[in-house]
Amino acid sequence: MKILIAEDEYYARQRLIKIVRECNMEVELAAAVENGRAAADFLEQNTDVDVVLTDIIMPKQNGLELAEYIHMNMPYIQVVIVSGYEEFDYARKAMEYEVRQYLIKPVKKEQLLNVLRQLEEKQESFRREVEAGVQERLKKLPNGYTSSKQVLTNEELMKLHMPGVSSLPDDVSCRIFVLQLERPMNDKDAGFLGKICSQKLGSRLAGTFFCQQNDEYMAVAAEEGSLLKDLEGILNYCRVQLQTGVVMGTSRPFSGCVNRYDAYKECLYAINIRLLKGWNRIFEYQLPHGGNTYFLSQDENALAGSLQLSDSGKAAALVHGLLTKPDLLESGDVNAYYDMILNILRSVNRYYRSLYKENEAMGCKVEIMFSRRYDLYNFKHPGELEEYLMDIIREICDQGQNSLKNGGNAIIRDILHYVEQNYQYDLSLQELAEKKYFMNPSYLSRLFKGAVGQTFSRYVIELRIKKARELLEDKSMKINEVAAQVGYNNTSHFIQSFKKLCGCTPEEYRNQ
C-alpha cells in the first residue's frame, strides 16, 4: 500500500512520515509534499498511490480541493484528512468527496495506525476475494491475456495449456525453444508452427504455447536424437513457407519442473543474439563470456562531449559507431552488446544528473533501468534499439538548449505503447521519466500532456475503463474479476471510475 503525505507544517509532516515508515505493515511512503498542488502534480505522474494523508489548510491548494481533485480524477485513491479543524462544513465537504477518515490533530500514533490497518485489511480482503476468481479466469482467457511466464510458473495453467509438459517425469532431459517471426505472429501462423513442430519432432514434442502478448511461439521437447538439427529444419521450412524472417532461441538441456522458467529465460537471452548476427538462425544459450570491453575511455569522452554541446547529430553518429563495432558484431556476445548499451546509458545518466543536479533522484543503477533480457527482447532489429537510444539523447539535448521540440513525439509514442502493454500494473510517469528515459519528470509530464491532451494518470484511467468495457462483453466474468484484470485492487473504486467516465455502473453497462 503506497501512501502520499500532504502537510505544510514541517514537524507535523515529519511526524506522519515517521509513523508511516516505522509501522509494522506492508506500506510504503510514496512521497511527502508541502501543499495540495504538489500532491496533485505527483499524482498526475504516479498512478500507483493507494492512500493520501492530507491536511486541510495549506498554501496553493488546500486539502479539500485536493480531495475534490482526487474524487473527480482518481476515485480509486483513498483520502484520509488529518486536520486541526473540526467544523461541520469541513467534515460535510469531506464526505461529499468520499474521504475515508477525518482525524483531528493532534493525531495519536495508534489512532492513525488503526486507520491504516483498516485500509490495508480492506485491500487484502479484496485481494483474497478476487485471487481465486482471477486464477479461474486465466484458465478461460485466450492466449492474448496469458503470458509464457504465467504458464510456466503456474501448475494449473501448465496443465491447461501444455498438459504434456506438466506430466513429464523430473528425470527427463528437455529443452525449451522460442520462435519469433520478423513480422507480427497471428493465430494462423501459430497453427502452422504447431503442425510443423508436431511433424518434425513427433513424440519428442511435449507441448507448445503461442503467446500473443510477447509475439512468440514457445515449445518444450525431449532432448533425444538430433534435436538441434531437427529444430534447424523447422526454422528453414518456416522461413520458406511463411516468407518472412524467422529466429529461434533454445535453452540448455534441463530437467525438473522448477527449472522450466529459468530455461525459458535462457531462450530470451539466446534470441537476443539476432541483434548482432541477424535473422534466420538458431541461437543456443551460452554462459556469459566476461572480460570483453568494447566501450573505451575515448568513446565515453566523445559521447560526453557531444552531449555537453547538445549536438544530437554527432551523438547519433557516435552511438551508431559504438553499436556496430566490427569486433563486437563478430563476437556474437550479447552480454558485451548489453554492456555497451549500459555504458551509453551511463554516460547519458551522468550528463542528465549534471544538467538538473538531481543526484538523489537519479542515483539508481542503470542496470535496474534497462533489462538485459526483456528490454533487448523488445527490439527485433538493431536499428530500433538505436532509435530508442537516440530518442532519449535528442530529448536531453533539447533540454540542454532549454527548448521543447516535436522530437518528443517518438518518446510519447513509446510511452503509449508501454502503457498499452502494462495498463493492468502500477504505472508511474515519474518512474518512467527517471528510470527509462533519463528525463526530468515535470518536463516529461508537460510533454505528455501537450502531445496527448490529458495528464498521464487520466490517460491510464481511460484506457483501463476502455479495456474493462471490452471484458464486460463476456457476461460470465464477474465485476470484481474485471476490476482486477484492468489494474484496480478495489472494486468500489473501479465502479466509481467507470461510472464517472461512462455515466453508468459496469453492471448497467453490461445490461444495456
Side-chain angles (χ1 to χ4, degrees):
M1 186 168 71
K2 283 193 172 183
I3 298 175
L4 171 65
I5 294 172
E7 168 64 72
D8 64 323
E9 296 179 12
Y10 174 80
Y11 291 107
R13 185 168 66 251
Q14 292 304 311
R15 174 169 169 73
L16 292 175
I17 291 172
K18 189 173 187 294
I19 293 173
V20 169
R21 284 180 172 167
E22 294 180 356
C23 71
N24 188 25
M25 289 184 284
E26 292 293 322
V27 300
E28 176 185 344
L29 181 64
V33 297
E34 298 180 2
N35 56 67
R37 181 67 263 163
D41 289 343
F42 183 86
L43 293 174
E44 284 184 1
Q45 300 170 25
N46 299 271
T47 64
D48 57 348
V49 173
D50 300 298
V51 177
V52 172
L53 298 178
T54 180
D55 189 13
I56 287 186
I57 305 301
M58 296 184 293
K60 296 187 179 179
Q61 185 176 11
N62 67 42
L64 290 177
E65 290 169 336
L66 174 61
E68 180 182 17
Y69 170 81
I70 291 171
H71 177 68
M72 296 297 295
N73 296 280
M74 306 163 191
Y76 56 90
I77 295 177
Q78 303 180 89
V79 177
V80 176
I81 285 181
V82 180
S83 176
Y85 296 85
E86 53 181 326
E87 283 87 346
F88 175 74
D89 284 345
Y90 286 136
R92 180 177 56 78
K93 277 290 183 185
M95 286 189 290
E96 285 180 17
Y97 305 141
E98 299 188 23
V99 170
R100 293 297 173 183
Q101 294 282 350
Y102 192 108
L103 304 178
I104 305 301
K105 293 179 180 179
V107 177
K108 294 181 180 179
K109 178 180 178 180
E110 194 55 39
Q111 184 184 19
L112 178 56
L113 290 180
N114 282 337
V115 170
L116 295 180
R117 287 191 195 100
Q118 291 172 19
L119 299 179
E120 185 182 46
E121 287 170 4
K122 188 172 182 179
Q123 282 196 341
E124 179 61 20
S125 174
F126 172 76
R127 187 194 66 77
R128 289 194 301 267
E129 176 188 339
V130 301
E131 190 174 65
V134 169
Q135 286 297 323
E136 286 301 313
R137 183 60 194 167
L138 280 172
K139 297 178 186 178
K140 302 173 186 176
L141 287 173
N143 291 352
Y145 290 91
T146 310
S147 70
S148 300
K149 178 180 178 180
Q150 287 173 320
V151 171
L152 291 169
T153 57
N154 185 304
E155 197 60 35
E156 291 187 22
L157 293 179
M158 173 66 74
K159 289 177 182 177
L160 176 70
H161 293 288
M162 304 177 80
V165 177
S166 179
S167 60
L168 280 172
D170 283 347
D171 59 351
V172 173
S173 181
C174 300
R175 285 183 192 258
I176 290 182
F177 61 92
V178 171
L179 190 147
Q180 275 198 332
L181 304 183
E182 200 163 9
R183 59 167 170 75
M185 194 180 297
N186 55 42
D187 289 325
K188 184 178 179 181
D189 297 326
F192 172 81
L193 293 172
K195 182 178 179 181
I196 297 306
C197 288
S198 181
Q199 289 176 354
K200 297 288 186 181
L201 300 178
S203 61
R204 289 174 295 175
L205 184 66
T208 62
F209 178 70
F210 170 40
C211 179
Q212 290 179 336
Q213 244 182 38
N214 297 342
D215 192 27
E216 66 187 19
Y217 191 81
M218 175 181 66
V220 180
E223 177 76 355
E224 299 175 8
S226 54
L227 178 60
L228 289 178
K229 184 176 179 180
D230 291 334
L231 292 181
E232 187 172 347
I234 290 173
L235 182 139
N236 290 330
Y237 187 80
C238 291
R239 177 174 58 85
V240 173
Q241 294 298 315
L242 297 177
Q243 298 182 338
T244 186
V246 185
V247 68
M248 185 186 296
T250 76
S251 71
R252 295 173 295 174
F254 74 97
S255 59
C257 61
V258 296
N259 297 316
R260 291 173 193 153
Y261 183 53
D262 287 337
Y264 166 72
K265 290 187 288 186
E266 289 183 359
C267 294
L268 303 195
Y269 279 118
I271 215 168
N272 285 336
I273 301 174
R274 67 190 171 185
L275 295 171
L276 291 154
K277 294 291 189 179
W279 285 69
N280 301 320
R281 299 180 63 171
I282 293 179
F283 299 111
E284 185 178 0
Y285 175 79
Q286 302 291 335
L287 291 171
H289 302 306
N292 292 327
T293 302
Y294 297 95
F295 189 77
L296 307 177
S297 58
Q298 56 263 38
D299 297 323
E300 181 178 5
N301 293 334
L303 183 56
S306 66
L307 292 172
Q308 289 166 2
L309 295 172
S310 297
D311 189 342
S312 59
K314 184 178 179 181
L318 287 167
V319 168
H320 178 75
L322 290 169
L323 294 177
T324 56
K325 281 190 172 184
D327 49 348
L328 173 59
L329 298 180
E330 182 62 29
S331 73
D333 186 351
V334 73
N335 294 291
Y337 190 70
Y338 168 75
D339 287 338
M340 176 67 80
I341 296 165
L342 289 188
N343 281 312
I344 292 171
L345 290 175
R346 287 189 191 105
S347 294
V348 174
N349 183 20
R350 279 191 287 271
Y351 171 69
Y352 181 93
R353 290 171 63 179
S354 69
L355 184 64
Y356 284 98
K357 297 181 174 57
E358 293 188 353
N359 296 322
E360 182 178 352
M362 296 304 299
C364 39
K365 292 184 178 180
V366 173
E367 287 87 341
I368 299 173
M369 304 171 190
F370 193 89
S371 158
R372 183 194 317 248
R373 182 168 70 250
Y374 293 115
D375 281 345
L376 283 183
Y377 193 59
N378 287 329
F379 303 105
K380 289 189 174 182
H381 296 279
E384 297 171 359
L385 170 61
E386 193 173 319
E387 187 59 27
Y388 164 80
L389 295 173
M390 282 313 305
D391 284 340
I392 296 173
I393 289 172
R394 288 189 197 101
E395 281 304 312
I396 289 178
C397 287
D398 285 349
Q399 291 181 61
Q401 296 172 345
N402 296 316
S403 62
L404 282 169
K405 297 184 178 179
N406 292 330
N409 289 338
I411 287 181
I412 298 304
R413 286 195 300 272
D414 190 61
I415 292 174
L416 294 177
H417 176 73
Y418 180 85
V419 172
E420 178 71 29
Q421 299 298 313
N422 298 277
Y423 64 87
Q424 64 270 55
Y425 306 115
D426 290 339
L427 296 173
S428 164
L429 188 63
Q430 178 168 332
E431 198 164 302
L432 288 175
E434 294 177 349
K435 297 184 179 181
K436 191 172 178 68
Y437 300 107
F438 300 88
M439 300 171 72
N440 181 283
S442 297
Y443 174 91
L444 186 58
S445 180
R446 294 197 306 274
L447 201 64
F448 186 93
K449 189 172 183 180
V452 180
Q454 58 187 161
T455 66
F456 176 78
S457 59
R458 182 72 179 183
Y459 178 82
V460 172
I461 291 171
E462 291 189 2
L463 178 63
R464 286 173 170 169
I465 299 304
K466 175 186 174 185
K467 298 295 184 180
R469 290 200 302 268
E470 295 172 4
L471 293 176
L472 286 168
E473 298 296 328
D474 180 357
K475 296 191 176 182
S476 69
M477 197 170 184
K478 297 177 181 178
I479 300 301
N480 60 356
E481 292 176 349
V482 173
Q485 195 71 46
V486 299
Y488 284 90
N489 60 7
N490 185 294
T491 305
S492 64
H493 292 162
F494 164 66
I495 293 172
Q496 291 169 23
S497 294
F498 193 98
K499 187 173 183 179
K500 194 169 292 294
L501 284 177
C502 302
C504 59
T505 67
E507 195 65 47
E508 291 170 343
Y509 177 86
R510 170 177 275 170
N511 295 328
Q512 286 178 355

